[in-house]
Amino acid sequence: MSRFRIPQPAPSEITPEAVWQSRRRWLGQAAALGLVAGATPEVLASDGPAPSLPALEGKPSGRYSVMDKPNAWDDITGYNNFYEFGTDKADPRRHAGRMVTEPWTVEVGGEVLKPRTFDLDELRKLAPMEERIYRLRCVEAWSMVVPWVGYPLSALLKQVEPTGKARYVTFETALQPEVMPGVKRRIIDWPYVEGLRMDEAMHPLTLLVFGVYGKILPNQNGAPLRVAVPWKYGFKSAKSVVRIRCVEEQPVSSWMKSAPTEYGFYANVNPNVRHPRWSQATERRIGESLFAPPVRTQMFNGYGELVASMYAGMDLARDF
Ligand code: MTE
């Protein structure tokens, strides 16, 4: 467990907001004086969070954060998968601004004793926010490191009291065809649906995310709330969730429906199981030089000490 017990990321590993802000101010002044070559507004924009977004802070979690250096704000909010807005990595930032995120409710039901619809205010207050630096490994063999702000999904599930029949949890995400140009293409059967086994959903690493880098989530990252399951491929982490259901049978996720031989229900990061069309043994960290050697992908994305026991006795090549 040692990797996750380190009390806090070293100050050199992350840049606190005050430092970003002062760096932005300095760069701005220096640019105005012509002191920094290339310190254009774009450079400033890529340096830290957009100041226009409201703050959402969380207590830094040393227990569940990795020591890797977080990606820049610009990578995290400019290189996205959110197919509702298009398949190009730049499409979500370009189009997601029109998604309506207020008012927002999440209906939580199914095999539960106390089904309930929560509004965003209630959800934000349900449990103390934490900042957790998580790895995100996409099935497309790239990765990032993201300082999410949120709290464990278990806090929400406990509110509705799942029954003994509740063995899985499904997440249904927003569908707003008028502002989502990507849903015209039937790449998947919209709305986007994902699922977890109940023990995975209740695992302390599974985070309900409301913010990133101390700011509320930008739309392209799944505003106003999304899931982050760091030991699984990124597609399991459903964005802009509107409905959560506890169910008895293993759900069929959108990607399983679209390409059953390529995407399984578990989707645990596993360097030993190929995607049918490419290897999963290595990954490219977004933001690093294209000449940097590829990074070796770790089993369970490096979270094995915390999660491997949930899969004891399973054949992860079959249950991929
Ligand atoms: N959620 C919805 N609703 N639609 C999507 O297309 N893409 C998934 C996941 N959640 C997706 C989604 C994939 S493939 C990845 S890698 C992550 O979101 C990307 O999250 P990020 O853009 O915040 O890095």
Side-chain angles (χ1 to χ4, degrees), residues 63-149:
R63 174 87 176 86
Y64 293 114
S65 290
V66 294
M67 294 295 286
D68 311 28
K69 183 174 183 283
N71 274 85
W73 171 262
D74 208 38
D75 296 334
I76 295 170
T77 62
Y79 188 94
N80 300 101
N81 276 342
F82 201 163
Y83 278 14
E84 286 86 335
F85 295 101
T87 51
D88 192 278
K89 302 297 177 218
D91 282 338
R93 178 156 68 184
R94 201 176 294 140
H95 299 300
R98 294 180 60 212
M99 178 167 62
V100 180
T101 58
E102 267 188 61
W104 193 275
T105 57
V106 180
E107 188 191 316
V108 192
E111 283 296 341
V112 301
L113 294 177
K114 295 182 174 166
R116 188 174 147 193
T117 298
F118 297 83
D119 67 31
L120 193 53
D121 251 12
E122 293 172 314
L123 288 166
R124 285 204 179 116
K125 288 184 196 136
L126 211 66
M129 294 283 175
E130 290 175 42
E131 180 178 69
R132 296 186 178 188
I133 300 168
Y134 274 0
R135 299 199 184 104
L136 185 156
R137 167 63 158 82
C138 185
V139 73
E140 297 159 324
W142 53 262
S143 64
M144 282 201 211
V145 179
V146 189
W148 296 124
V149 179

Coordinates of all heavy atoms in Angstrom, one line a residue, residues 63-149:
R63 N -3.8 9.7 1.3 CA -4.1 8.3 1.3 C -4.4 7.8 -0.1 O -4.0 6.7 -0.4 CB -5.3 8.1 2.2 CG -5.9 6.7 2.3 CD -5.2 5.8 3.3 NE -5.8 4.5 3.4 CZ -5.5 3.5 2.6 NH1 -4.6 3.6 1.7 NH2 -6.1 2.3 2.8
Y64 N -5.1 8.5 -0.9 CA -5.6 8.0 -2.2 C -5.0 8.7 -3.4 O -5.5 8.6 -4.5 CB -7.1 8.0 -2.2 CG -7.7 7.0 -1.3 CD1 -8.5 7.5 -0.2 CD2 -7.5 5.7 -1.4 CE1 -9.0 6.6 0.7 CE2 -8.1 4.8 -0.6 CZ -8.8 5.2 0.5 OH -9.4 4.3 1.4
S65 N -4.0 9.6 -3.1 CA -3.4 10.3 -4.2 C -2.1 9.6 -4.7 O -1.4 9.1 -3.8 CB -3.1 11.8 -3.9 OG -4.3 12.5 -3.7
V66 N -1.8 9.7 -6.0 CA -0.5 9.2 -6.5 C 0.4 10.4 -6.5 O 0.0 11.5 -6.4 CB -0.6 8.6 -7.9 CG1 -1.5 7.3 -7.8 CG2 -1.2 9.6 -8.9
M67 N 1.7 10.0 -6.6 CA 2.8 11.1 -6.5 C 3.1 11.6 -7.9 O 3.9 12.6 -8.0 CB 4.0 10.5 -5.9 CG 3.9 10.1 -4.5 SD 3.6 11.5 -3.4 CE 5.2 12.2 -3.4
D68 N 2.5 11.1 -9.0 CA 2.8 11.6 -10.3 C 2.4 13.1 -10.4 O 1.5 13.5 -9.8 CB 2.0 10.8 -11.4 CG 2.0 9.3 -11.3 OD1 2.2 8.8 -10.1 OD2 1.9 8.6 -12.3
K69 N 3.1 13.7 -11.3 CA 2.9 15.1 -11.5 C 1.6 15.3 -12.3 O 1.4 14.7 -13.4 CB 4.0 15.7 -12.3 CG 4.0 17.2 -12.6 CD 5.3 17.6 -13.3 CE 5.3 19.1 -13.5 NZ 4.5 19.5 -14.6
P70 N 0.6 16.1 -11.8 CA -0.6 16.3 -12.6 C -0.4 16.9 -13.9 O 0.5 17.7 -14.1 CB -1.5 17.2 -11.7 CG -0.9 17.0 -10.3 CD 0.6 16.8 -10.5
N71 N -1.2 16.5 -14.9 CA -1.2 17.2 -16.2 C -1.6 18.6 -16.1 O -2.3 19.0 -15.1 CB -2.1 16.4 -17.2 CG -1.4 15.3 -17.8 OD1 -1.4 14.2 -17.2 ND2 -0.9 15.5 -19.0
A72 N -1.2 19.4 -17.1 CA -1.6 20.8 -17.1 C -3.1 20.9 -17.3 O -3.8 20.0 -17.9 CB -0.9 21.5 -18.3
W73 N -3.7 22.0 -16.8 CA -5.1 22.3 -17.0 C -5.5 22.2 -18.5 O -6.5 21.6 -18.8 CB -5.3 23.7 -16.5 CG -6.7 24.3 -16.8 CD1 -7.0 25.1 -17.8 CD2 -7.9 24.1 -16.1 NE1 -8.4 25.4 -17.8 CE2 -8.9 24.8 -16.7 CE3 -8.2 23.3 -14.9 CZ2 -10.2 24.8 -16.2 CZ3 -9.5 23.3 -14.4 CH2 -10.5 24.1 -15.1
D74 N -4.6 22.6 -19.3 CA -5.0 22.7 -20.8 C -5.1 21.2 -21.3 O -5.9 21.0 -22.2 CB -3.9 23.4 -21.5 CG -4.4 24.1 -22.8 OD1 -5.6 24.5 -22.7 OD2 -3.7 24.1 -23.8
D75 N -4.2 20.3 -20.9 CA -4.3 18.9 -21.3 C -5.7 18.3 -20.8 O -6.4 17.7 -21.6 CB -3.2 18.0 -20.7 CG -1.8 18.4 -21.2 OD1 -1.7 19.0 -22.3 OD2 -0.9 18.2 -20.4
I76 N -5.9 18.5 -19.6 CA -7.1 17.9 -18.9 C -8.4 18.4 -19.5 O -9.3 17.6 -19.6 CB -7.0 18.1 -17.4 CG1 -5.8 17.4 -16.8 CG2 -8.3 17.6 -16.7 CD1 -5.5 17.7 -15.3
T77 N -8.4 19.7 -19.9 CA -9.7 20.2 -20.4 C -9.7 20.4 -21.9 O -10.7 20.9 -22.4 CB -9.9 21.6 -19.7 OG1 -8.8 22.5 -20.0 CG2 -9.9 21.5 -18.2
G78 N -8.6 20.1 -22.5 CA -8.6 20.3 -24.0 C -8.4 19.0 -24.8 O -8.5 19.0 -26.0
Y79 N -8.1 17.9 -24.1 CA -7.9 16.6 -24.8 C -8.8 15.6 -24.2 O -8.5 15.1 -23.1 CB -6.4 16.2 -24.6 CG -6.0 15.0 -25.4 CD1 -5.4 15.2 -26.7 CD2 -6.2 13.7 -25.0 CE1 -5.0 14.1 -27.4 CE2 -5.8 12.6 -25.7 CZ -5.2 12.8 -26.9 OH -4.8 11.7 -27.7
N80 N -10.0 15.5 -24.7 CA -11.1 14.8 -24.0 C -11.8 13.8 -24.9 O -11.9 13.9 -26.1 CB -12.2 15.8 -23.5 CG -11.6 16.8 -22.5 OD1 -11.4 17.9 -22.9 ND2 -11.4 16.4 -21.3
N81 N -12.3 12.8 -24.2 CA -13.3 11.9 -24.8 C -14.7 12.2 -24.2 O -14.9 12.0 -23.0 CB -13.0 10.4 -24.5 CG -11.9 9.9 -25.5 OD1 -11.7 10.4 -26.6 ND2 -11.3 8.8 -25.1
F82 N -15.6 12.7 -25.1 CA -16.9 12.9 -24.6 C -17.7 12.9 -26.0 O -17.9 13.9 -26.6 CB -17.1 14.3 -23.9 CG -18.3 14.5 -23.0 CD1 -18.3 15.5 -22.1 CD2 -19.4 13.6 -23.1 CE1 -19.4 15.7 -21.3 CE2 -20.5 13.8 -22.3 CZ -20.5 14.8 -21.3
Y83 N -18.0 11.6 -26.4 CA -18.4 11.4 -27.7 C -19.8 12.1 -28.1 O -20.1 12.3 -29.2 CB -18.5 9.9 -28.0 CG -17.2 9.3 -28.4 CD1 -16.0 10.0 -28.2 CD2 -17.1 8.0 -29.0 CE1 -14.8 9.4 -28.5 CE2 -15.9 7.4 -29.3 CZ -14.7 8.2 -29.1 OH -13.5 7.6 -29.5
E84 N -20.5 12.4 -27.0 CA -21.8 13.2 -27.3 C -21.4 14.5 -28.1 O -22.3 15.0 -28.7 CB -22.5 13.5 -26.0 CG -23.1 12.3 -25.3 CD -22.2 11.5 -24.4 OE1 -21.0 11.5 -24.6 OE2 -22.7 10.9 -23.5
F85 N -20.2 15.0 -27.9 CA -19.8 16.3 -28.5 C -18.9 16.1 -29.7 O -18.5 17.0 -30.3 CB -19.2 17.2 -27.5 CG -20.1 17.6 -26.4 CD1 -20.1 16.9 -25.2 CD2 -21.1 18.5 -26.6 CE1 -21.0 17.3 -24.2 CE2 -22.0 18.9 -25.7 CZ -22.0 18.3 -24.4
G86 N -18.7 14.8 -30.1 CA -17.8 14.5 -31.3 C -16.7 13.6 -30.9 O -16.4 13.5 -29.7
T87 N -16.0 13.1 -31.9 CA -15.0 12.1 -31.6 C -13.6 12.6 -31.6 O -12.6 12.0 -31.2 CB -15.1 10.9 -32.6 OG1 -15.0 11.5 -33.9 CG2 -16.3 10.1 -32.5
D88 N -13.4 13.9 -32.1 CA -12.1 14.5 -32.0 C -11.8 14.9 -30.6 O -12.7 15.4 -29.9 CB -12.1 15.7 -33.0 CG -10.7 16.2 -33.2 OD1 -10.2 17.0 -32.4 OD2 -10.1 15.9 -34.2
K89 N -10.6 14.8 -30.2 CA -10.2 15.2 -28.8 C -10.5 16.6 -28.5 O -10.6 17.0 -27.3 CB -8.7 14.9 -28.5 CG -8.3 13.5 -28.7 CD -9.0 12.5 -27.8 CE -8.6 11.1 -28.2 NZ -9.7 10.1 -28.1
A90 N -10.5 17.5 -29.5 CA -10.8 18.9 -29.3 C -12.3 19.2 -29.3 O -12.7 20.3 -28.9 CB -10.0 19.7 -30.3
D91 N -13.1 18.3 -29.8 CA -14.6 18.6 -29.9 C -15.2 18.9 -28.6 O -16.0 19.8 -28.5 CB -15.3 17.4 -30.5 CG -15.1 17.3 -32.0 OD1 -14.8 18.4 -32.6 OD2 -15.2 16.2 -32.6
P92 N -14.9 18.2 -27.5 CA -15.7 18.5 -26.2 C -15.4 19.9 -25.8 O -16.4 20.6 -25.4 CB -15.1 17.4 -25.2 CG -14.8 16.3 -26.1 CD -14.2 16.9 -27.4
R93 N -14.2 20.4 -25.8 CA -14.0 21.8 -25.4 C -14.7 22.8 -26.3 O -15.2 23.8 -25.9 CB -12.5 22.1 -25.3 CG -12.3 23.6 -24.9 CD -10.9 23.8 -24.2 NE -9.8 23.7 -25.1 CZ -8.5 23.8 -24.8 NH1 -8.2 24.0 -23.5 NH2 -7.6 23.6 -25.6
R94 N -14.7 22.4 -27.6 CA -15.3 23.3 -28.6 C -16.8 23.4 -28.4 O -17.4 24.4 -28.5 CB -15.0 22.7 -30.0 CG -15.1 23.7 -31.1 CD -14.6 23.1 -32.4 NE -13.2 22.7 -32.5 CZ -12.7 21.6 -33.0 NH1 -13.5 20.7 -33.6 NH2 -11.4 21.4 -33.1
H95 N -17.5 22.2 -28.1 CA -18.9 22.2 -28.1 C -19.6 22.1 -26.8 O -20.8 22.4 -26.7 CB -19.4 21.0 -29.0 CG -18.9 21.1 -30.4 ND1 -19.3 22.1 -31.3 CD2 -18.2 20.2 -31.1 CE1 -18.7 21.9 -32.4 NE2 -18.0 20.8 -32.4
A96 N -18.9 21.6 -25.7 CA -19.7 21.3 -24.5 C -20.2 22.5 -23.7 O -21.0 22.3 -22.9 CB -18.8 20.4 -23.6
G97 N -19.7 23.6 -24.1 CA -20.1 24.9 -23.4 C -21.6 25.1 -23.4 O -22.2 25.7 -22.6
R98 N -22.2 24.5 -24.5 CA -23.7 24.7 -24.6 C -24.5 23.7 -23.8 O -25.8 23.8 -23.8 CB -24.1 24.6 -26.1 CG -23.5 25.8 -26.9 CD -23.8 25.7 -28.4 NE -25.3 25.8 -28.6 CZ -25.9 25.2 -29.6 NH1 -25.3 24.4 -30.4 NH2 -27.2 25.3 -29.7
M99 N -23.9 22.7 -23.2 CA -24.7 21.8 -22.4 C -25.3 22.5 -21.2 O -24.6 23.3 -20.6 CB -23.7 20.6 -21.9 CG -24.5 19.6 -21.1 SD -23.5 18.1 -20.8 CE -22.0 18.7 -20.0
V100 N -26.6 22.2 -21.0 CA -27.2 22.9 -19.8 C -27.0 22.0 -18.6 O -27.4 20.9 -18.5 CB -28.8 22.9 -20.1 CG1 -29.5 23.6 -19.0 CG2 -29.0 23.6 -21.5
T101 N -26.3 22.7 -17.6 CA -26.0 21.9 -16.4 C -26.7 22.4 -15.1 O -26.4 22.0 -14.0 CB -24.5 22.0 -16.1 OG1 -24.1 23.4 -16.0 CG2 -23.7 21.3 -17.3
E102 N -27.6 23.4 -15.3 CA -28.4 23.9 -14.2 C -29.8 24.2 -14.7 O -29.9 24.9 -15.7 CB -27.7 25.2 -13.7 CG -26.8 24.9 -12.5 CD -26.3 26.2 -11.9 OE1 -27.2 26.9 -11.4 OE2 -25.1 26.5 -11.9
P103 N -30.8 23.8 -14.0 CA -30.8 22.9 -12.9 C -30.4 21.5 -13.3 O -30.5 21.1 -14.5 CB -32.2 22.9 -12.4 CG -33.0 23.2 -13.6 CD -32.2 24.1 -14.5
W104 N -29.9 20.7 -12.3 CA -29.5 19.3 -12.6 C -30.0 18.5 -11.4 O -29.8 18.8 -10.3 CB -28.0 19.3 -12.6 CG -27.4 18.0 -13.2 CD1 -27.2 16.8 -12.5 CD2 -27.0 17.8 -14.6 NE1 -26.7 15.9 -13.4 CE2 -26.6 16.5 -14.6 CE3 -27.0 18.6 -15.7 CZ2 -26.1 15.9 -15.8 CZ3 -26.5 18.0 -16.9 CH2 -26.1 16.7 -16.9
T105 N -30.5 17.3 -11.8 CA -30.9 16.4 -10.7 C -30.3 15.0 -11.1 O -30.1 14.7 -12.3 CB -32.4 16.3 -10.6 OG1 -33.0 15.9 -11.8 CG2 -33.0 17.6 -10.1
V106 N -30.1 14.2 -10.1 CA -29.7 12.8 -10.3 C -30.7 11.9 -9.6 O -31.0 12.1 -8.4 CB -28.3 12.5 -9.7 CG1 -27.9 11.1 -10.0 CG2 -27.3 13.5 -10.4
E107 N -31.3 11.0 -10.4 CA -32.3 10.1 -9.8 C -31.6 8.8 -9.4 O -30.9 8.3 -10.2 CB -33.3 9.8 -10.9 CG -34.5 9.1 -10.6 CD -35.3 8.6 -11.8 OE1 -35.4 9.4 -12.8 OE2 -35.7 7.4 -11.9
V108 N -31.7 8.5 -8.1 CA -31.1 7.3 -7.6 C -32.1 6.3 -7.2 O -32.9 6.5 -6.3 CB -30.1 7.6 -6.5 CG1 -29.2 6.4 -6.2 CG2 -29.2 8.8 -6.8
G109 N -32.2 5.1 -7.9 CA -33.2 4.2 -7.6 C -32.9 2.7 -7.9 O -31.7 2.4 -7.9
G110 N -33.9 2.0 -8.3 CA -33.7 0.5 -8.5 C -33.9 -0.3 -7.2 O -34.8 0.0 -6.4
E111 N -33.0 -1.2 -7.1 CA -33.1 -2.1 -5.9 C -32.6 -1.4 -4.6 O -31.5 -1.6 -4.1 CB -32.2 -3.4 -6.1 CG -32.9 -4.4 -7.0 CD -34.2 -4.9 -6.4 OE1 -34.4 -4.8 -5.2 OE2 -35.0 -5.5 -7.1
V112 N -33.3 -0.4 -4.2 CA -33.0 0.4 -3.0 C -34.2 0.6 -2.1 O -35.3 0.6 -2.6 CB -32.4 1.8 -3.4 CG1 -31.1 1.6 -4.3 CG2 -33.4 2.7 -4.0
L113 N -34.0 0.8 -0.8 CA -35.1 1.0 0.1 C -35.6 2.4 0.0 O -36.8 2.7 0.2 CB -34.7 0.7 1.5 CG -34.4 -0.8 1.8 CD1 -33.9 -1.0 3.3 CD2 -35.6 -1.7 1.5
K114 N -34.7 3.4 -0.3 CA -35.1 4.8 -0.2 C -34.8 5.5 -1.5 O -33.9 6.3 -1.6 CB -34.4 5.5 0.9 CG -34.9 5.0 2.3 CD -34.2 5.7 3.4 CE -34.7 5.3 4.7 NZ -33.9 5.8 5.9
P115 N -35.5 5.2 -2.6 CA -35.2 5.9 -3.9 C -35.4 7.4 -3.7 O -36.3 7.8 -3.0 CB -36.2 5.3 -4.9 CG -37.3 4.7 -4.0 CD -36.6 4.3 -2.7
R116 N -34.6 8.2 -4.4 CA -34.6 9.6 -4.2 C -34.0 10.4 -5.4 O -33.0 9.9 -6.0 CB -33.9 9.9 -2.9 CG -34.0 11.3 -2.4 CD -33.4 11.5 -1.1 NE -32.8 12.8 -1.0 CZ -32.0 13.2 0.0 NH1 -31.5 12.4 0.9 NH2 -31.6 14.4 0.0
T117 N -34.6 11.5 -5.7 CA -34.0 12.4 -6.7 C -33.2 13.5 -5.9 O -33.9 14.2 -5.1 CB -35.0 12.9 -7.6 OG1 -35.6 11.8 -8.3 CG2 -34.4 13.9 -8.6
F118 N -32.0 13.7 -6.2 CA -31.2 14.7 -5.5 C -30.9 15.9 -6.5 O -30.7 15.6 -7.6 CB -29.8 14.1 -5.2 CG -29.8 13.0 -4.2 CD1 -30.0 11.7 -4.6 CD2 -29.5 13.2 -2.8 CE1 -30.0 10.6 -3.7 CE2 -29.5 12.1 -1.9 CZ -29.8 10.8 -2.4
D119 N -31.0 17.1 -5.9 CA -30.5 18.2 -6.8 C -29.1 18.4 -6.5 O -28.5 17.9 -5.6 CB -31.4 19.4 -6.6 CG -31.3 20.1 -5.3 OD1 -30.3 20.0 -4.7 OD2 -32.3 20.7 -4.9
L120 N -28.5 19.3 -7.3 CA -27.0 19.4 -7.3 C -26.5 20.0 -6.0 O -25.5 19.6 -5.5 CB -26.6 20.4 -8.5 CG -25.1 20.4 -8.8 CD1 -24.6 19.0 -9.0 CD2 -24.9 21.3 -10.0
D121 N -27.3 20.9 -5.4 CA -26.9 21.5 -4.1 C -26.9 20.4 -3.0 O -25.9 20.3 -2.3 CB -28.0 22.5 -3.7 CG -27.5 23.9 -3.8 OD1 -26.4 24.1 -4.4 OD2 -28.2 24.8 -3.3
E122 N -27.9 19.5 -3.0 CA -27.9 18.4 -2.1 C -26.7 17.5 -2.3 O -26.0 17.1 -1.3 CB -29.2 17.6 -2.2 CG -30.4 18.3 -1.8 CD -31.7 17.6 -2.2 OE1 -31.8 17.0 -3.3 OE2 -32.6 17.5 -1.3
L123 N -26.4 17.2 -3.5 CA -25.3 16.3 -3.8 C -24.0 16.9 -3.4 O -23.1 16.2 -2.8 CB -25.3 16.0 -5.3 CG -26.4 15.1 -5.8 CD1 -26.5 15.1 -7.3 CD2 -26.2 13.7 -5.3
R124 N -23.8 18.2 -3.7 CA -22.5 18.8 -3.3 C -22.3 18.8 -1.8 O -21.1 18.8 -1.3 CB -22.5 20.3 -3.8 CG -22.3 20.4 -5.3 CD -21.6 21.7 -5.7 NE -21.4 21.8 -7.1 CZ -22.0 22.7 -7.9 NH1 -22.8 23.6 -7.5 NH2 -21.7 22.7 -9.2
K125 N -23.4 18.8 -1.0 CA -23.2 18.9 0.4 C -23.2 17.5 1.1 O -23.1 17.5 2.3 CB -24.4 19.7 1.0 CG -24.3 21.2 0.7 CD -25.4 22.0 1.3 CE -25.5 23.4 0.7 NZ -27.0 23.7 0.5
L126 N -23.4 16.5 0.4 CA -23.6 15.2 1.0 C -22.4 14.7 1.8 O -22.6 13.9 2.7 CB -23.9 14.2 -0.2 CG -24.8 13.0 0.1 CD1 -26.2 13.5 0.5 CD2 -24.9 12.1 -1.1
A127 N -21.2 15.0 1.4 CA -20.0 14.5 2.0 C -18.9 15.5 1.8 O -19.0 16.3 0.9 CB -19.7 13.1 1.5
P128 N -17.9 15.5 2.7 CA -16.8 16.4 2.5 C -16.0 16.2 1.2 O -15.7 15.0 0.9 CB -15.9 16.2 3.7 CG -16.6 15.2 4.6 CD -17.7 14.6 3.9
M129 N -15.7 17.3 0.5 CA -15.0 17.2 -0.7 C -13.5 16.9 -0.4 O -12.9 17.5 0.5 CB -15.1 18.5 -1.5 CG -16.4 18.8 -2.0 SD -16.8 17.8 -3.5 CE -18.6 18.3 -3.7
E130 N -12.9 16.0 -1.2 CA -11.5 15.7 -1.1 C -10.8 16.0 -2.5 O -11.5 15.9 -3.5 CB -11.3 14.2 -0.9 CG -11.7 13.8 0.5 CD -11.5 12.3 0.6 OE1 -10.5 11.7 0.1 OE2 -12.4 11.6 1.1
E131 N -9.6 16.4 -2.5 CA -8.8 16.5 -3.7 C -8.0 15.2 -3.8 O -7.2 14.9 -2.9 CB -7.9 17.7 -3.8 CG -7.2 17.7 -5.1 CD -6.3 19.0 -5.3 OE1 -5.3 19.1 -4.5 OE2 -6.6 19.8 -6.1
R132 N -8.1 14.5 -4.9 CA -7.4 13.3 -5.1 C -6.7 13.3 -6.4 O -7.3 13.5 -7.5 CB -8.3 12.1 -5.0 CG -9.0 11.9 -3.7 CD -9.7 10.6 -3.7 NE -10.4 10.3 -2.5 CZ -10.9 9.1 -2.2 NH1 -11.0 8.2 -3.1 NH2 -11.5 8.9 -1.1
I133 N -5.4 13.0 -6.4 CA -4.7 13.0 -7.7 C -4.7 11.6 -8.2 O -4.1 10.7 -7.6 CB -3.2 13.5 -7.5 CG1 -3.3 15.0 -7.0 CG2 -2.4 13.5 -8.8 CD1 -2.1 15.6 -6.4
Y134 N -5.4 11.4 -9.3 CA -5.6 10.0 -9.8 C -5.0 9.9 -11.2 O -5.0 10.9 -12.0 CB -7.1 9.8 -10.0 CG -7.9 9.3 -8.8 CD1 -7.3 9.0 -7.6 CD2 -9.3 9.0 -9.0 CE1 -8.1 8.5 -6.6 CE2 -10.1 8.5 -7.9 CZ -9.4 8.3 -6.7 OH -10.2 7.8 -5.7
R135 N -4.6 8.7 -11.5 CA -4.2 8.4 -12.9 C -5.4 8.1 -13.7 O -6.4 7.5 -13.2 CB -3.3 7.1 -12.9 CG -2.0 7.3 -12.2 CD -1.0 6.2 -12.6 NE 0.2 6.4 -11.8 CZ 0.5 5.6 -10.8 NH1 -0.3 4.5 -10.6 NH2 1.5 5.8 -10.0
L136 N -5.4 8.4 -14.9 CA -6.5 8.1 -15.8 C -5.9 7.4 -17.1 O -5.0 8.0 -17.7 CB -7.2 9.4 -16.3 CG -8.5 9.3 -17.1 CD1 -9.4 10.5 -16.9 CD2 -8.2 9.1 -18.6
R137 N -6.2 6.2 -17.3 CA -5.6 5.4 -18.4 C -6.7 5.1 -19.4 O -7.7 4.4 -19.0 CB -5.0 4.1 -17.8 CG -4.6 3.0 -18.9 CD -3.5 3.5 -19.8 NE -2.7 2.4 -20.5 CZ -3.2 1.7 -21.5 NH1 -4.3 2.0 -22.1 NH2 -2.4 0.8 -22.0
C138 N -6.6 5.6 -20.6 CA -7.6 5.4 -21.5 C -7.3 4.2 -22.3 O -6.2 3.8 -22.5 CB -7.7 6.6 -22.5 SG -9.0 6.5 -23.7
V139 N -8.4 3.5 -22.8 CA -8.2 2.3 -23.5 C -7.4 2.5 -24.8 O -6.8 1.6 -25.4 CB -9.6 1.6 -23.8 CG1 -10.4 2.4 -24.9 CG2 -9.6 0.2 -24.2
E140 N -7.4 3.8 -25.3 CA -6.6 4.1 -26.5 C -5.1 4.2 -26.2 O -4.4 4.7 -27.1 CB -7.1 5.5 -27.0 CG -8.6 5.5 -27.5 CD -9.2 6.8 -27.5 OE1 -8.9 7.7 -26.7 OE2 -10.0 7.1 -28.4
A141 N -4.7 3.8 -25.0 CA -3.3 3.7 -24.7 C -2.6 5.1 -24.4 O -1.4 5.2 -24.6 CB -2.5 2.9 -25.7
W142 N -3.4 6.1 -24.0 CA -2.8 7.3 -23.5 C -3.2 7.5 -22.0 O -4.2 6.8 -21.6 CB -3.1 8.5 -24.3 CG -4.6 8.8 -24.6 CD1 -5.3 8.4 -25.7 CD2 -5.5 9.4 -23.7 NE1 -6.6 8.8 -25.6 CE2 -6.8 9.4 -24.3 CE3 -5.5 10.0 -22.4 CZ2 -8.0 9.9 -23.8 CZ3 -6.6 10.5 -21.8 CH2 -7.9 10.5 -22.5
S143 N -2.5 8.3 -21.3 CA -2.8 8.5 -19.9 C -2.6 9.9 -19.5 O -1.9 10.7 -20.2 CB -2.0 7.5 -19.0 OG -0.7 7.8 -19.1
M144 N -3.2 10.2 -18.3 CA -3.1 11.6 -17.7 C -3.1 11.4 -16.2 O -3.4 10.3 -15.7 CB -4.3 12.4 -18.1 CG -4.3 13.0 -19.5 SD -5.3 14.5 -19.5 CE -5.9 14.3 -21.2
V145 N -2.8 12.5 -15.6 CA -2.9 12.5 -14.1 C -3.7 13.7 -13.7 O -3.4 14.8 -14.2 CB -1.5 12.6 -13.5 CG1 -1.5 12.6 -11.9 CG2 -0.6 11.4 -13.9
V146 N -4.8 13.5 -13.0 CA -5.8 14.5 -12.8 C -6.1 14.8 -11.3 O -6.4 13.8 -10.6 CB -7.1 14.1 -13.5 CG1 -8.1 15.3 -13.5 CG2 -6.8 13.6 -14.9
P147 N -6.0 16.0 -10.9 CA -6.4 16.4 -9.5 C -7.9 16.6 -9.4 O -8.4 17.7 -9.5 CB -5.6 17.6 -9.2 CG -5.3 18.3 -10.5 CD -5.5 17.2 -11.6
W148 N -8.6 15.5 -9.2 CA -10.1 15.6 -9.1 C -10.5 16.1 -7.7 O -9.8 15.9 -6.7 CB -10.7 14.2 -9.3 CG -10.6 13.5 -10.6 CD1 -10.0 12.2 -10.7 CD2 -11.0 13.9 -11.9 NE1 -10.1 11.9 -12.1 CE2 -10.6 12.9 -12.8 CE3 -11.6 15.1 -12.4 CZ2 -10.9 13.0 -14.1 CZ3 -11.8 15.2 -13.7 CH2 -11.5 14.2 -14.6
V149 N -11.7 16.7 -7.7 CA -12.3 17.1 -6.4 C -13.7 16.4 -6.3 O -14.5 16.5 -7.2 CB -12.5 18.6 -6.3 CG1 -13.2 19.0 -5.0 CG2 -11.2 19.3 -6.4

